[in-house]
Amino acid sequence: METSLRIAIAGLGAVGLKIAQALDAGIPGCELAAVSARDRAAAEQRLSGLRRKVPVVEIAALEPLADLVIECAPAALLPEIAEPFLRAGKTVVVLSAGAILRQDHLLELARQHGGQIAVPTGALIGLDAVVAAAEGTIHSVRMTTRKPVNGLVGAPYLVENNIDIADIKEPLRIFKGTPREAAVGFPANLNVAVALSLAGIGPDRTELEIWADPAMTRNVHQVEVESDSARFSMTIENVPSENPKTGRITALSVIAWLRRLRAPLRVGT
Ligand SMILES: NC(=O)C1=CN([C@@H]2O[C@H](COP(=O)(O)OP(=O)(O)OC[C@H]3O[C@@H](n4cnc5c(N)ncnc54)[C@H](OP(=O)(O)O)[C@@H]3O)[C@@H](O)[C@H]2O)C=CC1
Ligand SMILES: O=C([O-])CC(=O)C(=O)O
């Protein structure tokens, strides 16, 4: 019988806690081995309803305890979380996808040691079709994101450019550029655009617009792809989680990814 894959979770917020609860409820072939959070006592409290007791440890203590780590913490912590696992040839599931662009050395570490960085579909849609189209030739990828004001306020791009969206009455386009630029200007809001770009034609050729819309209650992402195998358009309207910047479906995407790791039937790319 195969032994269970020991899973560590770094960050126990809107995404991490849901994944911890799902692992505790049971995902065949996987077991929750350890978690990390900023406030250890609060994390222990949040985990107190779980059936099995799980150690809450410093980020540096996660790697010896687990075969795979799921990063669902602030983007700046990605290197600290990922490096020990990649150096040990293990897998790192990355939610803060934007941070990968600023940390090229992580890909090199994975290559050198036989580890892997996995970016789940997360809050987006259709990355299976985009990676398939990328096996042929993709001509263009355009993404438009519309978010309620509270899903965007405080982003560095808005602060640096003195763009005040607190009292807008109409939809306002606040950004037009590339996912590479958005990863810097919106590190906690546009990981989906970076994931899309990594699946398709990269962070410099993917075209991105961001709109703040005071009438919206959901985070809406629209994607249009032109390729030599297919033309497709996709829209996802995400219900925000406890964290207004993060869609509820994000944690579910990782849970589905974990469930497929050892499943006898695997659907989708
Ligand atoms: N790829 C995608 O599709 C998506 C990606 N994301 C990204 O996923 C990440 C997680 O999102 P979300 O769960 O909503 O974020 P939250 O803000 O809800 O949670 C972040 C967690 O990180 C923990 N944390 C903060 N500092 C440290 C530290 N020094 N050591 C250990 N843990 C720490 C916090 O701890 P504490 O609880 O103690 O404060 C908290 O539990 C974000 O980067 C977000 O941008 C989000 C949505 C979609
Ligand atoms: O991109 C992100 O990080 C989150 C997001 O838009 C969403 O949850 O809809």
Side-chain angles (χ1 to χ4, degrees), residues 52-262:
R52 285 189 51 209
K53 198 164 161 44
V54 182
V56 181
V57 301
E58 296 294 321
I59 288 173
L62 289 173
E63 188 276 322
L65 300 174
D67 305 306
L68 176 156
V69 65
I70 302 168
E71 174 280 324
C72 30
L77 296 177
L78 178 64
E80 194 180 332
I81 294 165
E83 281 167 14
F85 280 84
L86 294 176
R87 222 173 260 123
K90 297 178 179 176
T91 298
V92 182
V93 178
V94 175
L95 272 301
S96 304
I100 296 173
L101 302 184
R102 297 190 297 282
Q103 306 290 344
D104 285 347
H105 73 287
L106 294 179
L107 294 179
E108 197 42 47
L109 262 189
R111 215 172 272 124
Q112 269 173 17
H113 299 279
Q116 188 175 54
I117 299 170
V119 179
T121 305
L124 204 54
I125 185 173
L127 294 191
D128 52 351
V130 182
V131 291
E135 292 288 335
T137 301
I138 297 181
H139 305 301
S140 65
V141 180
R142 294 198 178 91
M143 175 168 172
T144 305
T145 285
R146 293 171 205 277
K147 289 198 176 199
V149 169
N150 68 354
L152 290 161
V153 278
Y157 182 88
L158 299 178
V159 176
E160 277 154 29
N161 292 287
N162 287 321
I163 303 172
D164 184 2
I165 58 171
D167 297 318
I168 57 170
K169 302 282 180 271
E170 299 288 330
L172 178 69
R173 191 179 74 189
I174 54 174
F175 176 86
K176 188 173 188 312
T178 65
R180 189 184 295 283
E181 292 158 346
V184 178
F186 299 87
N189 318 76
L190 259 304
N191 293 291
V192 279
V194 174
L196 173 70
S197 74
L198 294 174
I201 51 175
D204 300 310
R205 285 181 60 211
T206 305
E207 299 164 51
L208 173 66
E209 285 192 14
I210 308 173
W211 289 72
D213 188 336
M216 283 204 138
T217 54
R218 296 186 179 210
N219 297 324
V220 178
H221 305 296
Q222 282 173 304
V223 176
E224 283 170 31
V225 177
E226 279 283 354
S227 77
D228 65 353
S229 60
R231 169 187 306 149
F232 47 98
S233 325
M234 323 179 273
T235 304
I236 188 164
E237 301 184 11
N238 285 328
V239 179
S241 62
E242 307 76 69
N243 177 353
K245 300 185 183 75
T246 293
R248 274 190 203 169
I249 203 165
T250 313
L252 300 184
S253 161
V254 180
I255 294 165
W257 187 90
L258 289 172
R259 209 177 290 286
R260 284 161 22 126
L261 277 178
R262 297 261 173 99

